[in-house]
PDB file of all heavy atoms in Angstrom:
ATOM      1  N   ALA A  59     132.406 125.875  59.412  1.00 91.00           N
ATOM      2  CA  ALA A  59     132.234 125.532  57.994  1.00 91.00           C
ATOM      3  C   ALA A  59     133.334 126.143  57.129  1.00 91.00           C
ATOM      4  O   ALA A  59     133.324 125.970  55.916  1.00 91.00           O
ATOM      5  CB  ALA A  59     130.858 126.023  57.525  1.00 91.00           C
ATOM      6  N   LEU A  60     134.253 126.830  57.757  1.00 90.00           N
ATOM      7  CA  LEU A  60     135.287 127.555  57.010  1.00 90.00           C
ATOM      8  C   LEU A  60     136.126 126.656  56.089  1.00 90.00           C
ATOM      9  O   LEU A  60     136.451 127.064  54.970  1.00 90.00           O
ATOM     10  CB  LEU A  60     136.192 128.302  57.996  1.00 90.00           C
ATOM     11  CG  LEU A  60     136.790 129.623  57.512  1.00 90.00           C
ATOM     12  CD1 LEU A  60     135.740 130.562  56.989  1.00 90.00           C
ATOM     13  CD2 LEU A  60     137.576 130.276  58.639  1.00 90.00           C
ATOM     14  N   PRO A  61     136.483 125.442  56.516  1.00 90.00           N
ATOM     15  CA  PRO A  61     137.259 124.595  55.600  1.00 90.00           C
ATOM     16  C   PRO A  61     136.538 124.337  54.280  1.00 90.00           C
ATOM     17  O   PRO A  61     137.175 124.131  53.255  1.00 90.00           O
ATOM     18  CB  PRO A  61     137.436 123.297  56.389  1.00 90.00           C
ATOM     19  CG  PRO A  61     137.341 123.705  57.812  1.00 90.00           C
ATOM     20  CD  PRO A  61     136.346 124.819  57.846  1.00 90.00           C
ATOM     21  N   GLY A  62     135.198 124.379  54.315  1.00 89.00           N
ATOM     22  CA  GLY A  62     134.437 124.129  53.089  1.00 89.00           C
ATOM     23  C   GLY A  62     134.187 125.374  52.260  1.00 89.00           C
ATOM     24  O   GLY A  62     133.627 125.292  51.160  1.00 89.00           O
ATOM     25  N   PHE A  63     134.584 126.518  52.768  1.00 89.00           N
ATOM     26  CA  PHE A  63     134.355 127.778  52.035  1.00 89.00           C
ATOM     27  C   PHE A  63     135.467 127.960  51.013  1.00 89.00           C
ATOM     28  O   PHE A  63     136.632 128.131  51.371  1.00 89.00           O
ATOM     29  CB  PHE A  63     134.318 128.944  53.022  1.00 89.00           C
ATOM     30  CG  PHE A  63     134.160 130.278  52.355  1.00 89.00           C
ATOM     31  CD1 PHE A  63     132.996 130.604  51.677  1.00 89.00           C
ATOM     32  CD2 PHE A  63     135.181 131.213  52.402  1.00 89.00           C
ATOM     33  CE1 PHE A  63     132.850 131.835  51.068  1.00 89.00           C
ATOM     34  CE2 PHE A  63     135.043 132.448  51.799  1.00 89.00           C
ATOM     35  CZ  PHE A  63     133.881 132.754  51.135  1.00 89.00           C
ATOM     36  N   LYS A  64     135.087 127.912  49.744  1.00 85.00           N
ATOM     37  CA  LYS A  64     136.103 127.965  48.689  1.00 85.00           C
ATOM     38  C   LYS A  64     136.199 129.342  48.034  1.00 85.00           C
ATOM     39  O   LYS A  64     136.834 129.498  46.995  1.00 85.00           O
ATOM     40  CB  LYS A  64     135.790 126.923  47.606  1.00 85.00           C
ATOM     41  CG  LYS A  64     135.632 125.509  48.148  1.00 85.00           C
ATOM     42  CD  LYS A  64     136.954 124.953  48.673  1.00 85.00           C
ATOM     43  CE  LYS A  64     136.758 123.557  49.233  1.00 85.00           C
ATOM     44  NZ  LYS A  64     137.801 123.167  50.173  1.00 85.00           N
ATOM     45  N   GLY A  65     135.488 130.300  48.574  1.00 83.00           N
ATOM     46  CA  GLY A  65     135.574 131.647  48.021  1.00 83.00           C
ATOM     47  C   GLY A  65     134.764 131.832  46.751  1.00 83.00           C
ATOM     48  O   GLY A  65     135.026 132.752  45.977  1.00 83.00           O
ATOM     49  N   GLN A  66     133.783 130.952  46.527  1.00 82.00           N
ATOM     50  CA  GLN A  66     132.945 131.097  45.332  1.00 82.00           C
ATOM     51  C   GLN A  66     132.013 132.305  45.458  1.00 82.00           C
ATOM     52  O   GLN A  66     131.548 132.837  44.460  1.00 82.00           O
ATOM     53  CB  GLN A  66     132.131 129.820  45.055  1.00 82.00           C
ATOM     54  CG  GLN A  66     131.178 129.385  46.157  1.00 82.00           C
ATOM     55  CD  GLN A  66     131.855 128.540  47.229  1.00 82.00           C
ATOM     56  OE1 GLN A  66     133.009 128.769  47.563  1.00 82.00           O
ATOM     57  NE2 GLN A  66     131.124 127.592  47.787  1.00 82.00           N
ATOM     58  N   ALA A  67     131.749 132.706  46.695  1.00 85.00           N
ATOM     59  CA  ALA A  67     130.965 133.933  46.932  1.00 85.00           C
ATOM     60  C   ALA A  67     131.798 134.808  47.865  1.00 85.00           C
ATOM     61  O   ALA A  67     132.804 134.371  48.413  1.00 85.00           O
ATOM     62  CB  ALA A  67     129.642 133.574  47.597  1.00 85.00           C
TER      63      ALA A  67
END
Side-chain angles (χ1 to χ4, degrees):
Chain A
L60 212 53
F63 177 66
K64 305 292 179 202
Q66 60 275 35

